[in-house]
């Protein structure tokens, strides 16, 4: 009897704790300024047929079927109010543009993307005039089903990365209206290379931990130190790479090893080792600035999940920097291969 009472009490406490601590709401807001007149930007966004050029959920299946519907204004409306997609991986989803007053610089949509979010999500765009420029703000807000509330942190990160990717793609698309040449936005480019295996690498390595500083700063310093210790008589035998043991985006904590392939090593302080990369990997080639490299991982994780694959945590996540600062002065032309180990 005492055991039964204890179990009932424990379950009640556990339920109340879940109820009080897991709110199940997620929210993210991203913004940037583009040198384009607000009226031009607003006019373009008023036409939902333009949205397929930059919506982030369509990058996973470029050949998905796209259709448009007229839900609020009747078939004789100038512009459609609903964009519908249908794909093998991204399933059936839609984004509905809610009616707004004429000349409004605010776009409120309801997004249903079952391949990415369990419930409908509010996806809003707000435009603010800043002299001859326009501040573009993207906001994603959602609420999880009761028994999915424990995934709140996961969906918060997804919303953050989706909003970030949507903003970059939208700004790159709106560059055509830009009247200021001081800054040009470039959308990240992703190329799927399916499943692959990795060859062994003879390299010198050093551990790294990132917790309270920018990732790019830590990597720049790490690779600089490796090159310095190798000396001019030991040029790299291939592109540098990073092996991730742990990656916690929510707490900005990353650990692993940085490496530089070597061949015919002239004696120095470093000791080369053979890096054995076992298992199968999903391979994504990312073209763009290192600042947005986390988006490549976000896209690759989503691609793994919508294919019903599982990450193999026994093996490293791998980045290979195929084209970097040593090969080009333009960061938009950097090429990084990202490998996610799968079971």
């Amino acid at each position: 009897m005492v055991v039964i009472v204890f179990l009932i009490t424990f379950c009640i406490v556990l339920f109340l704790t879940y109820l009080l601590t897991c709110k199940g709401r997620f929210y993210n807001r991203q913004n940037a300024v583009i040198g384009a007149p607000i009226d031009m930007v607003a006019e373009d966004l008023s036409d939902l047929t333009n949205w397929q050029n930059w919506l982030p959920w369509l990058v996973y299946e470029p050949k998905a079927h796209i259709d448009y519907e007229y839900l609020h204004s009747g078939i004789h409306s100038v512009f459609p109010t609903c964009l519908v997609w249908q794909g093998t991986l991204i399933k059936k989803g839609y984004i509905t543009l809610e009616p707004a007053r004429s000349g409004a610089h605010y776009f409120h949509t309801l997004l249903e993307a079952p391949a990415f979010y369990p419930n409908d999500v509010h996806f809003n765009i707000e435009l603010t005039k800043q002299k001859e420029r326009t501040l573009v703000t993207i906001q994603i807000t959602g609420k999880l089903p009761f028994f999915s509330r424990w995934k709140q942190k996961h969906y918060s990160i997804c919303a953050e990365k989706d909003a970030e990717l949507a903003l970059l793609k939208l700004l790159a698309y709106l560059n055509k209206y830009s009247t200021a040449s001081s800054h040009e936005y470039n959308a990240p480019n992703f190329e799927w290379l399916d499943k692959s295996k990795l060859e062994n690498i003879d390299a010198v390595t050093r551990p790294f931990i990132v917790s309270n500083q920018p990732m790019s700063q830590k990597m720049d310093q790490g690779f600089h130190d490796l090159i310095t210790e190798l000396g001019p008589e030991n040029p790299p035998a291939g592109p540098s790479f990073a092996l991730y043991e742990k990656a916690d985006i929510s707490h900005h904590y990353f650990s692993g090893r940085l490496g530089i392939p070597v061949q015919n090593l002239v004696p120095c302080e470093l000791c080369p080792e053979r890096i054995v990369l076992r298992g199968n990997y999903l391979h994504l080639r990312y073209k763009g600035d290192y600042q947005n490299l986390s988006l490549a991982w976000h896209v690759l994780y989503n691609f793994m999940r919508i294919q019903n694959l599982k990450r193999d945590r026994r093996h490293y996540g791998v980045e290979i920097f195929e084209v970097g600062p040593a090969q080009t002065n333009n960061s938009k032309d950097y090429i990084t291969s990202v490998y996610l180990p799968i079971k």
Side-chain angles (χ1 to χ4, degrees), residues 50 90 93 132 148-149 163 176 187 199 215 256 265 288 310:
N50 295 327
I90 62 176
E132 299 302 317
S148 296
R149 288 183 178 184
K176 58 187 178 182
E199 296 181 355
M215 174 72 79
L265 185 67
K310 299 291 184 180

Side-chain angles (χ1 to χ4, degrees), residues 112 122 139:
E112 182 176 303
H122 294 286
Q139 179 177 304

Side-chain angles (χ1 to χ4, degrees), residues 37-297:
I38 191 170
D39 291 336
M40 284 187 173
V41 175
E43 182 179 357
D44 190 290
L45 291 178
S46 297
D47 185 354
L48 202 58
T49 61
N50 295 327
W51 288 42
Q52 72 176 93
N53 295 304
W54 54 268
L55 282 177
W57 302 283
L58 300 181
V59 304
Y60 301 93
E61 201 164 352
K63 295 183 179 180
H65 177 71
I66 304 294
D67 199 6
Y68 297 94
E69 298 177 357
Y70 298 78
L71 300 181
H72 304 301
S73 307
I75 195 64
H76 299 296
S77 175
V78 177
F79 298 129
T81 55
C82 184
L83 184 158
V84 183
W85 63 76
Q86 177 71 59
T88 304
L89 296 177
I90 62 176
K91 303 179 182 178
K92 183 175 182 178
Y94 65 80
I95 186 165
T96 303
L97 184 59
E98 302 294 327
R101 69 180 186 277
S102 179
H105 295 149
Y106 183 81
F107 301 87
H108 178 83
T109 77
L110 186 66
L111 168 73
E112 182 176 303
F116 304 96
Y117 296 102
N119 277 0
D120 293 344
V121 170
H122 294 286
F123 179 71
N124 304 324
I125 304 174
E126 183 177 1
L127 307 178
T128 306
K129 185 175 182 179
Q130 294 192 345
K131 297 183 179 180
E132 299 302 317
R133 303 188 300 171
T134 302
L135 174 67
V136 181
T137 302
I138 288 181
Q139 179 177 304
I140 295 180
T141 309
K143 185 177 180 181
L144 297 172
F146 182 78
F147 290 108
S148 296
R149 288 183 178 184
W150 62 277
K151 296 182 180 179
Q152 188 269 342
K153 183 175 290 185
H154 164 76
Y155 284 107
S156 292
I157 294 174
C158 287
E160 176 189 350
K161 294 305 174 185
D162 283 345
E164 187 179 341
L165 180 56
L167 183 62
L168 284 174
K169 287 176 66 65
L170 175 58
L171 294 174
Y173 168 73
L174 294 174
N175 269 334
K176 58 187 178 182
Y177 301 120
S178 180
T179 57
S181 58
S182 58
H183 190 285
E184 180 179 348
Y185 289 98
N186 297 288
N189 181 272
F190 307 107
E191 179 186 358
W192 305 109
L193 296 173
D194 205 10
K195 300 175 185 177
S196 62
K197 291 184 178 291
L198 290 174
E199 296 181 355
N200 299 334
I201 307 172
D202 292 319
V204 292
T205 67
R206 68 180 304 144
F208 76 90
I209 294 177
V210 177
S211 58
N212 57 0
Q213 64 188 122
M215 174 72 79
S216 58
Q217 178 182 335
K218 187 72 173 183
M219 287 197 165
D220 284 345
Q221 184 62 49
F223 285 124
H224 176 268
D225 292 344
L226 277 174
I227 289 290
T228 301
E229 292 182 49
L230 280 172
E233 296 181 340
N234 293 310
S240 57
F241 59 90
L243 307 177
Y244 288 88
E245 294 175 345
K246 184 173 182 180
D248 185 347
I249 297 176
S250 60
H251 296 96
H252 191 69
Y253 180 87
F254 306 89
S255 64
R257 287 191 287 170
L258 304 178
I260 296 178
V262 292
Q263 189 176 16
N264 299 324
L265 185 67
V266 174
C268 67
E269 296 180 0
L270 297 175
C271 297
E273 59 183 300
R274 170 147 288 196
I275 307 298
V276 179
L277 300 170
R278 299 183 176 89
N280 297 312
Y281 294 81
L282 276 184
H283 183 189
L284 176 72
R285 181 172 287 145
Y286 161 75
K287 185 176 182 181
D289 198 323
Y290 290 150
Q291 182 179 352
N292 302 316
L293 193 51
S294 64
L295 292 176
W297 284 104

